Amino acid sequence: MDATNQFASTEETLVKALLRAKSRTSLETAGIHVSRYGLVVTLLLIGVLKFTAGEAQGIQPLVANSPLLFWLYRIFTLQGVSNLIGMIEIVVACLSPCGRGPQGSLLSAASAPSSRSY
């Protein structure tokens, strides 16, 4: 009977330690929000700038020499391609904070530790 009580208290201690490890401190939560919304603001600013003529001319050599995006200039004008890229950046910025908690954001997908064991 003594071994059963000892096992139960050890199990209870481990469960409490696991719950403590999974809970976030307020500093961690604040850091998550600052990094998430910092990314959103940065993407919004970059996306809005794509609608200016100077930015369209600035990204033209990058897009024209890109193996994935070079064909866009055959379909759209210089400003049209820049506007399209700007809209994509704005949509990504608006969708980044969606979801509940950090697991729903794009930022956490890149920074989350892998659950695979090697």
Side-chain angles (χ1 to χ4, degrees):
M1 191 72 164
D2 190 30
T4 305
N5 287 339
Q6 184 181 6
F7 177 73
S9 67
T10 305
E11 183 180 11
E12 184 177 307
T13 305
L14 289 174
V15 168
K16 285 180 182 178
L18 182 62
L19 289 175
R20 245 183 288 131
K22 283 192 169 193
S23 68
R24 289 210 163 102
T25 64
S26 60
L27 185 60
E28 288 173 323
T29 304
I32 288 169
H33 290 302
V34 166
S35 61
R36 178 182 299 159
Y37 292 107
L39 174 70
V40 169
V41 168
T42 303
L43 284 174
L44 279 174
L45 289 174
I46 292 172
V48 168
L49 283 175
K50 295 290 188 276
F51 289 94
T52 64
E55 186 71 17
Q57 291 174 355
I59 67 167
Q60 191 270 335
L62 299 172
V63 176
N65 294 315
S66 168
L68 299 175
L69 301 174
F70 71 93
W71 56 272
L72 286 173
Y73 287 120
R74 295 179 184 165
I75 300 171
F76 302 110
T77 64
L78 178 71
Q79 188 63 49
V81 171
S82 184
N83 291 350
L84 177 67
I85 293 171
M87 282 304 301
I88 291 170
E89 289 174 351
I90 290 171
V91 166
V92 168
C94 291
L95 292 177
S96 291
C98 290
R100 289 184 53 94
Q103 67 272 11
S105 69
L106 296 177
L107 177 65
S108 68
S111 64
S114 176
S115 61
R116 289 185 248 165
S117 60
Y118 296 99

